[in-house]
Amino acid sequence: MRKELQANLQYVDALNEWDPFQLKTGGYETEIADTVQAVHELNDSNKLAERIQAIYEFSFEKLIPMESCLKMAEQLLILKANESCSI
């Protein structure tokens, strides 16, 4: 359980740094929680990027470019792979 918590915190840190709408003050708690859940459910970067885009669009009624979502999805899946490979 501790390992999963550590992984989730890494995902949260990466997503907080992303700040796709330049809010500078956070404000993405719900979206981050939904995205972390999606990381656990999906292993395909394209599908994860689509889910990320949909999560943020639902909340902010603005579309993040797919390229940006794909970059974040790939980063999150790298973190996921690194966590599953560690002892």
Side-chain angles (χ1 to χ4, degrees):
M1 184 65 146
R2 178 171 161 76
K3 194 169 153 180
E4 185 176 317
L5 177 62
Q6 186 176 7
N8 286 344
L9 291 174
Q10 287 182 321
Y11 304 148
V12 169
D13 287 345
L15 288 160
N16 272 321
E17 288 177 26
W18 185 35
D19 192 14
F21 297 117
Q22 287 76 46
L23 298 180
K24 309 280 190 244
T25 58
Y28 298 110
E29 292 82 10
T30 303
E31 297 74 30
I32 288 174
D34 290 347
T35 301
V36 168
Q37 182 62 39
V39 172
H40 289 289
E41 295 171 3
L42 302 168
N43 291 311
D44 178 270
S45 59
N46 289 312
K47 289 180 181 178
L48 181 56
E50 289 172 3
R51 179 86 60 90
I52 291 169
Q53 188 182 53
I55 288 167
Y56 282 79
E57 181 183 13
F58 180 80
S59 295
F60 293 92
E61 297 181 351
K62 293 182 189 175
L63 198 62
I64 301 170
M66 184 52 69
E67 182 179 307
S68 180
C69 294
L70 186 58
K71 192 173 181 180
M72 178 49 60
E74 289 168 349
Q75 182 180 345
L76 292 168
L77 290 176
I78 287 169
L79 290 172
K80 181 179 179 179
N82 288 342
E83 190 57 36
S84 68
C85 293
S86 66
I87 296 174

